[in-house]
Amino acid sequence: EAGVTQFPSHSVIEKGQTVTLRCDPISGHDNLYWYRRVMGKEIKFLLHFVKESKQDESGMPNNRFLAERTGGTYSTLKVQPAELEDSGVYFCASSQVNSNYGYTFGSGTRLTVV
Amino acid sequence: AQSVTQLDSHVSVSEGTPVLLRCNYSSSYSPSLFWYVQHPNKGLQLLLKYTSAATLVKGINGFEAEFKKSETSFHLTKPSAHMSDAAEYFCVVRSNAGNMLTFGGGTRLMVKP
């Protein structure tokens, strides 16, 4: 089966611009998660979708970040306007209804804001 | 609340010698615990998971971890390191009260020839 796909793999944008990251989960996985790792810090939870609904968005840093999952398939994470501190690696993961089976992560999108 | 502490940010071993990566956790509920590995320019790959079954968990590539509730530890071991094991390893806890994963800070494993 195909894994979790994220694109772009890298993005370099200027401060104040907008960037949209995309995640395609494993087909049939209702749970979709976004995490990010800012340079030198731990990987932190951003939010969790169950199908198209936001189950938990407690980790979203501020209202410059907007996540969507229209139709319960792929998800996008938009940063507008981007700031320097948004630089880092953004990971997406998906899991089945019973997440004890584990979470499958994508390769991440490395975002650099200059 | 839950947290994970990886006690070493860097570990260096010689090829063929044992590997020990240490992890302590805290959780208000019975936790599920995972170890993930990230090779350079790759995604996070699941090595093994503990979900309240056997306390000694075997994973891929010869890795295993032992859940010790009394010590709140979940250390990762491998009897003999290979050069291909060089990567960053993450200990992760998930509270059974929710789906959110909490990551440790990561341990970068270096393997010398």
Side-chain angles (χ1 to χ4, degrees):
Chain A
E1 74 182 350
V4 176
T5 305
Q6 292 186 247
F7 49 94
S9 57
H10 293 80
S11 179
V12 180
I13 62 171
E14 293 184 351
K15 176 182 172 181
Q17 289 185 324
T18 298
V19 63
T20 299
L21 314 180
R22 173 167 168 153
C23 169
D24 286 71
I26 292 174
S27 178
H29 279 193
D30 287 342
N31 291 299
L32 186 149
Y33 313 82
W34 284 98
Y35 287 80
R36 100 174 154 171
R37 189 180 197 188
V38 172
M39 186 68 69
K41 300 289 184 65
E42 294 157 350
I43 298 173
K44 293 283 194 183
F45 168 81
L46 293 178
L47 87 160
H48 169 209
F49 284 100
V50 177
K51 297 185 180 178
E52 67 275 9
S53 300
K54 291 176 185 174
Q55 184 76 11
D56 181 354
E57 52 184 332
S58 61
M60 294 287 265
N62 52 61
N63 59 10
R64 295 186 294 102
F65 289 75
L66 175 64
E68 294 180 321
R69 192 182 182 195
T70 307
T73 55
Y74 70 90
S75 174
T76 58
L77 179 65
K78 182 163 71 173
V79 185
Q80 179 184 27
E83 298 289 345
L84 298 178
E85 64 264 24
D86 301 331
S87 296
V89 181
Y90 290 76
F91 292 101
C92 175
S94 70
S95 71
Q96 295 177 329
V97 172
N98 181 353
S99 55
N100 279 343
Y101 289 106
Y103 302 68
T104 303
F105 280 83
S107 298
T109 293
R110 182 173 295 277
L111 174 64
T112 303
V113 183
V114 297
Chain B
Q2 55 195 30
S3 65
V4 182
T5 302
Q6 291 183 242
L7 297 162
D8 306 292
S9 60
H10 292 81
V11 169
S12 181
V13 300
S14 297
E15 191 174 22
T17 64
V19 175
L20 170 64
L21 305 184
R22 299 181 294 166
C23 171
N24 287 98
Y25 71 92
S26 69
S27 177
S28 303
Y29 302 91
S30 297
S32 295
L33 293 157
F34 308 83
W35 275 97
Y36 281 86
V37 61
Q38 186 180 23
H39 288 91
N41 301 315
K42 301 286 187 181
L44 292 160
Q45 180 185 19
L46 179 66
L47 272 180
L48 50 80
K49 61 182 184 285
Y50 166 78
T51 54
S52 75
T55 56
L56 182 62
V57 181
K58 293 188 183 300
I60 62 172
N61 300 335
F63 284 95
E64 62 181 39
E66 186 172 8
F67 173 70
K68 293 186 177 180
K69 186 175 180 179
S70 61
E71 299 176 11
T72 61
S73 69
F74 190 57
H75 301 334
L76 182 70
T77 61
K78 182 173 181 178
S80 175
H82 294 162
M83 295 297 292
S84 60
D85 294 329
E88 190 165 19
Y89 292 78
F90 296 92
C91 183
V92 182
V93 63
R94 179 180 72 88
S95 166
N96 284 341
N99 279 315
M100 185 175 72
L101 300 180
T102 299
F103 282 77
T107 298
R108 192 168 296 278
L109 175 66
M110 292 165 282
V111 183
K112 298 175 290 187

